[in-house]
Structure formats: structure tokens, C-alpha cells
Amino acid sequence: MSLSFERYWNAFLDTLMMVGVSGGIAFLAGIPLAVLLIVTAPGGFLASPRINRAVGSVVNGFRATPFIVLLVALIPFTRIVAGTTIGVWAAIVPLAISATPFFARIAEVSLREVDPGLIEAAQAMGCRKWHIVRHVLLPEALPGIIGGFTITLVALISSSAMAGAVGAGGLGDLAIRYGYQRFDTEVMLIVIAILIALVTAVQLSGDRYVRWLRSR
């Protein structure tokens, strides 16, 4: 069965919507989560082992759960938030919840690599803790954070395709309904080619932005 260009285009736009919105949520929620993990860690300027262990356990729990399992487990919550369990907006809920702890851990690594001497110098100058986070930690770790966010977007593209198995829409849904279930190799190959092109574009754009940040 040969599909029209419009079907591929609409599926592509659905995938972009899922990845874009869930990626934005993961970025906005993941950075504060990473900062919390850093500042409450032993030796941090707001050290709190209990909070650090509690938050770390939650993050690790979500990261350890395979996306397809999380997708099914969150169906009741998705219905409450999105009002439905199928379609693009229903997929965004588990995608964002899955990507946030993943990105938070990557951002945490970048924040951890900031030279402690810079933080000590800022403290010696009397900077407030919020100023240290905003003007020292985040700017110094920004290239690594952007690099990690690029990896997160690539992972989201893969997960969005997987979400097509439960009627989420997008390229994954197209590949499963027409390529797999109807044994249409042409559809499968076209979808794979589009996904490869999308991942390549995201990775190249992220790498270029990281290089620009490091050259400043």
C-alpha cells in the first residue's frame, strides 16, 4: 500500500509535536532537578543527605523503568492529565515523565564538573546561593547541558516511535499500522529514513551549538 505524501507529513509533524513539547517540559523540569541533586549532595552548599537520597531514588526509579512499561503504567494518570489515552497529547505525558529524570542525570554530571574553585570564589565574594547557581553553575555547565539535551531529544525521537504501538500517532504509528501490520516494506523503509534524517539533524544542530558555546 502506497501512502500519500500528506500522511507522511502529518505523521512527521505529530512526531515533532511530541518530541518538542515533551523535550521542552523535560528541559524546564530537569534543570531544577539536577541543581537540587547537586546542591543537596554531600559537600554541596545546601547539603541535605535525606533530600538528596529521596530525590535520587525517585529519579533512578523512573530511569530504571523501560519506557513501554512506563507508558502502560501511566495510562490512568495520562487520562487524568490529557483527557485521553491515545493520540499525540496523550503520548506527551509519559514522554515528558520519562525524559525528565534522564535529562536531569545528564545535567547533573555537567554541573558536577564545574570547577569547585569558582564556587568557592563566589562564596568568598559574598554571593547568595541563588546567584551562584544562576551566574556560576549554570553558565559554566551550559555546553554540557546542551549536549545532554541533544542526547535527550534523540532518545525522545526513539521513544515517540515506540509510543506508536499504543496509538500515539506520529511516524511510529505509521510504521506499525502500515509497515508492520500490513507488511508494507516501503512504508517501513520510508519511516526509518525520515527518523534517521531527523535524528541526524537534531544531533548536528546540537553539536554545532555546543561548539559555538565553547568558543565564546
Side-chain angles (χ1 to χ4, degrees), residues 67-68 71 157-166 172 176:
F67 176 71
I68 192 67
L71 184 66
I157 294 172
S158 174
S159 297
S160 70
M162 193 184 306
V166 292
I176 291 170

Side-chain angles (χ1 to χ4, degrees), residues 104-163:
R105 281 302 189 189
I106 297 178
E108 180 193 4
V109 173
S110 298
L111 290 167
R112 198 185 303 277
E113 291 178 350
V114 174
D115 186 357
L118 295 175
I119 299 174
E120 293 173 2
Q123 290 175 321
M125 293 172 61
C127 291
R128 296 181 178 179
K129 294 178 175 62
W130 165 245
H131 288 158
I132 294 175
V133 172
R134 183 178 178 183
H135 298 292
V136 179
L137 272 176
L138 291 178
E140 290 295 323
L142 187 57
I145 289 174
I146 297 301
F149 184 60
T150 302
I151 296 173
T152 303
L153 289 178
V154 171
L156 277 172
I157 294 172
S158 174
S159 297
S160 70
M162 193 184 306

